Amino acid sequence: MLGIATLGVLFAGFLALFWLTPLGVPALKTLGGGQSSPDLRFGYRADEIYRLLDRYGPRGIAHWRRLLWLDMVFPAVYAALFALLGVKWAQFVDAGPVWQACAIGGPIGGGVSESIRDILFVGVIGAPSPR
């Protein structure tokens, strides 16, 4: 089983890869003419996504697809890390069973929902444009 330190290093590594390397978000933002990808926005409409995909072109779409595949692994890392930290917190404060379930279930629920969103985005990328 991976420990908290190992998961913390993996978590930091993913963040560095996404935000500080040419493989990550800055390159995608450049390909999108300065616009962030929909998974980094609070709210978006279907027509906005399709306009952004047109702007990305094949190269940008391929780049975003690679990021989404990586982003399907990242939630497992952060969910495990934060669930383990939640367990440690619950033990430290001698939390009741409801708080223990929340401390573990919250991060896992967040990770699962992010992975589902990424799978749906991969489907949108692979589907023909409705235009």
Side-chain angles (χ1 to χ4, degrees):
M1 184 168 123
L2 295 175
I4 290 175
T6 304
L7 288 169
V9 168
L10 285 171
F11 177 78
F14 267 105
L15 289 178
L17 176 73
F18 287 139
W19 292 102
L20 303 174
T21 70
L23 303 173
V25 173
L28 186 62
K29 197 169 184 177
T30 299
L31 291 167
Q35 292 187 13
S36 297
S37 65
D39 56 329
L40 297 176
R41 297 182 197 177
F42 184 75
Y44 42 82
R45 295 187 329 257
D47 62 322
E48 294 171 330
I49 294 173
Y50 287 112
R51 273 198 307 276
L52 185 59
L53 290 174
D54 289 341
R55 177 174 269 174
Y56 281 161
R59 187 170 164 229
I61 290 171
H63 186 75
W64 190 31
R65 184 179 287 120
R66 283 188 299 271
L67 284 177
L68 286 171
W69 284 112
L70 282 173
D71 198 29
M72 285 186 222
V73 176
F74 180 57
V77 171
Y78 78 68
L81 172 64
F82 292 129
L84 284 175
L85 289 172
V87 167
K88 293 287 187 189
W89 167 81
Q91 291 170 347
F92 178 74
V93 299
D94 195 27
V98 172
W99 282 109
Q100 289 177 21
C102 290
I104 296 167
I108 291 172
V112 168
S113 65
E114 183 174 347
S115 292
I116 290 169
R117 183 209 58 200
D118 291 340
I119 290 167
L120 293 172
F121 273 138
V122 169
V124 167
I125 289 173
S129 176
R131 295 180 198 179

